[in-house]
Amino acid sequence: MAEEEKYMNPITCLFHVLFKGLAIAFYILSSLFFKYFAIHFVITVLLEALDFWVVKNVSGRILVGLRWWNEVSDQGESIWRYESLDQEELARLNKKDSWLFWWTLYLNAAAWVVLGIIAIIKFNFDYLLVVGVCVALSVANLIGFTRCRKDAKKQIQAYASQAVASHVASTIQSAFSVV
């Protein structure tokens, strides 16, 4: 029987999940303890903002080797930047860490969408504002990392085709060179 793969970065995994869980749990349970909407809004959005920051700047880099950000050029254009580890380093990443990263990223966005639908059904439009902010933050990370992963795959494919072309060229050159 094969040994089960363990998380390589358990602390990063913990914080990757922690703020997501705290934000959703606080959103659902806080109405039992607080009657003021402002407290509910501020703490839920703060927890989701902490999750956004941790995912974008820490766990994305450590667990899947990806990073994204947005810059505004001197002309006022929004420019998306994507960064990933090289192919060799990406191959060394832990599959269990990566699995946790991607599943919780998708599940978090889905959970907020479901909570938004529930807020609409219950006519809780003020709470829909909270959910809207949380959906925006979780979907921004989801889109950023999905684009980053696609960009990384393109870079790997370009590197592989460049390596093959270089090998073919050197083989042809050596075939026609005089010994």
Side-chain angles (χ1 to χ4, degrees):
M1 192 158 88
E3 186 178 321
E4 183 178 328
E5 184 177 16
K6 297 187 182 331
Y7 291 106
M8 188 182 301
N9 301 289
I11 301 297
T12 306
C13 290
L14 171 71
F15 282 99
H16 180 73
V17 174
L18 182 68
F19 290 119
K20 288 172 183 46
L22 286 175
I24 291 171
F26 187 84
Y27 174 82
I28 292 169
L29 299 174
S30 65
S31 59
L32 302 173
F33 304 107
F34 304 107
K35 68 178 188 174
Y36 299 109
F37 173 73
I39 293 172
H40 197 115
F41 180 87
V42 169
I43 294 176
T44 302
V45 170
L46 178 66
L47 289 168
E48 191 64 27
L50 286 169
D51 174 62
F52 176 83
W53 186 87
V54 166
V55 171
K56 185 177 171 302
N57 296 307
V58 180
S59 64
R61 196 182 293 188
I62 293 172
L63 300 179
V64 291
L66 302 172
R67 195 180 121 185
W68 66 271
W69 67 96
N70 186 287
E71 295 175 348
V72 178
S73 70
D74 294 337
Q75 294 78 25
E77 291 181 23
S78 182
I79 302 167
W80 288 84
R81 304 280 186 203
Y82 305 105
E83 185 178 272
S84 64
L85 297 174
D86 63 31
Q87 185 177 4
E88 190 176 300
E89 291 172 322
L90 281 171
R92 280 191 252 142
L93 290 173
N94 183 287
K95 287 179 178 38
K96 202 166 187 178
D97 287 355
S98 179
W99 180 89
L100 177 84
F101 177 86
W102 289 107
W103 273 98
T104 56
L105 206 61
Y106 283 102
L107 289 175
N108 186 51
W112 284 115
V113 168
V114 168
L115 290 170
I117 292 168
I118 291 169
I120 291 170
I121 291 170
K122 293 172 102 180
F123 295 108
N124 286 342
F125 296 114
D126 49 350
Y127 287 92
L128 190 59
L129 178 63
V130 176
V131 172
V133 171
C134 294
V135 165
L137 290 171
S138 61
V139 168
N141 257 339
L142 185 60
I143 290 170
F145 279 107
T146 301
R147 286 181 178 175
C148 193
R149 181 172 58 178
K150 287 179 183 175
D151 188 60
K153 285 180 181 177
K154 284 181 190 174
Q155 288 177 1
I156 290 170
Q157 289 171 345
Y159 174 78
S161 56
Q162 181 184 10
V164 167
S166 174
H167 179 69
V168 168
S170 68
T171 303
I172 290 172
Q173 185 180 16
S174 65
F176 289 109
S177 68
V178 178
V179 178

